[in-house]
Amino acid sequence: MSNLREKLSNKMIPTHALIFFESSNRESGGAYVEHRRIANGAFGAGGPLKVKTLSKIMAVVNQYIKQQDSMVSLHGIIPENLLYSSSKAESVKLVWYRKPEKRMMYFSKKLEIPNGEVMVPGLVYVANGQNLSVYAFKGTKPKRILYKAPFFNVNDKVCLGTAKIKKPCESTFDNWIEYWEAMFWKSEFVHILGGNPIKGNLASVTKRCITTGEAFPINELIKTNVTLKDLLK
């Protein structure tokens, strides 16, 4: 799995220390911040914290905050359903799958489809930068052949619009997977993008599955030119 060995073996080396002092007389107040460099595990001479040093510290903090708001700093336990991970700055990517399962779906009133649960086929999710793509597969685990995701709002990429989901506070694999799935499933399904994604009428088939409780018929799936191997790179 791309870059995982490198991530897990990465070590953090202390380079600086800040020591905060406060006045013993709380009424008079007063505080002092001492800065010490650390070399080979040993403290250097102490001195007052300089504005230049503080600016460097804030740059590191700001970079950390920025990374936490994206998938650049992915870490944590690797989920069993994770297929691929790459945290290269120019192409942060996460690929995972879900077995067939029941999912709550929400629809625009103009579609005249009631909100409800549907037993959907197995799905492969691809989070790439700020974009999400979804593909279907037959069986309980994805193989080479993939199919168009049988949903509204989906073409090459998912149209994410109505869901208001807060980004993870901690950038773990599980947290980002949960975030992207919530963005997809809690968004209102509104329209078909790029042509009907199944053989039959998507609105009619979806409405029937919700009202009868039957699983989404996999014989309705349409094969796509994208293979699983294409996604894992």
Side-chain angles (χ1 to χ4, degrees):
M1 199 170 290
S2 177
N3 294 336
L4 287 181
R5 184 184 297 276
E6 181 180 342
K7 287 185 221 175
L8 293 174
S9 62
N10 186 39
K11 295 181 180 179
M12 304 300 291
I13 301 173
T15 58
H16 297 266
L18 298 180
I19 302 175
F20 294 82
F21 298 84
E22 65 177 14
S23 173
S24 58
N25 187 338
R26 291 178 178 267
E27 292 183 3
S28 63
Y32 170 72
V33 182
E34 181 181 87
H35 169 236
R36 288 175 179 260
R37 289 183 177 274
I38 302 174
N40 299 319
F43 283 105
L49 179 65
K50 298 179 180 178
V51 174
K52 184 178 180 180
T53 303
L54 180 60
S55 297
K56 290 181 179 179
I57 293 171
M58 291 308 301
V60 173
V61 172
N62 288 334
Q63 179 64 24
Y64 173 79
I65 293 172
K66 183 178 179 181
Q67 288 182 349
Q68 291 301 305
D69 198 40
S70 69
M71 297 190 294
V72 173
S73 57
L74 278 168
H75 63 277
I77 297 173
I78 302 171
E80 291 183 2
N81 60 329
L82 183 66
L83 297 172
Y84 179 86
S85 169
S86 173
S87 59
K88 295 179 182 178
E90 68 275 12
S91 180
V92 181
K93 186 175 181 180
L94 200 61
V95 183
W96 71 98
Y97 75 95
R98 290 287 189 191
K99 297 178 180 179
E101 60 184 342
K102 278 190 175 182
R103 282 287 192 173
M104 184 67 191
M105 301 181 70
Y106 303 92
F107 300 91
S108 169
K109 290 182 179 180
K110 68 179 182 180
L111 291 176
E112 298 183 347
I113 301 174
N115 298 335
E117 288 189 334
V118 177
M119 185 71 179
V120 299
L123 299 173
V124 174
Y125 300 80
V126 183
N128 195 348
Q130 300 298 315
N131 299 311
L132 179 69
S133 300
V134 180
Y135 301 88
F137 64 88
K138 294 180 179 180
T140 58
K141 193 170 184 178
K143 297 179 182 178
R144 189 181 69 86
I145 298 175
L146 297 176
Y147 301 83
K148 293 182 178 181
F151 310 115
F152 297 90
N153 297 4
V154 180
N155 192 10
D156 293 334
K157 297 175 183 177
V158 175
C159 177
L160 300 170
T162 59
K164 304 295 182 184
I165 309 298
K166 187 177 180 181
K167 288 187 176 180
C169 294
E170 186 177 2
S171 191
T172 65
F173 293 103
D174 281 331
N175 284 349
W176 276 107
I177 286 175
E178 181 181 352
Y179 166 79
W180 282 112
E181 290 187 12
M183 284 291 291
F184 181 69
W185 292 107
K186 291 186 179 181
S187 287
E188 192 176 67
F189 291 98
V190 179
H191 45 235
I192 289 177
L193 298 178
N196 193 20
I198 67 172
K199 296 174 183 177
N201 182 287
L202 180 60
S204 298
V205 174
T206 303
K207 187 173 183 178
R208 186 177 75 241
C209 290
I210 290 177
T211 55
T212 66
E214 67 179 85
F216 197 97
I218 59 173
N219 62 317
E220 289 283 356
L221 298 179
I222 297 176
K223 183 179 176 182
T224 179
N225 292 327
V226 178
T227 66
L228 184 62
K229 184 178 179 180
D230 294 330
L231 302 179
L232 306 184
K233 59 184 180 181

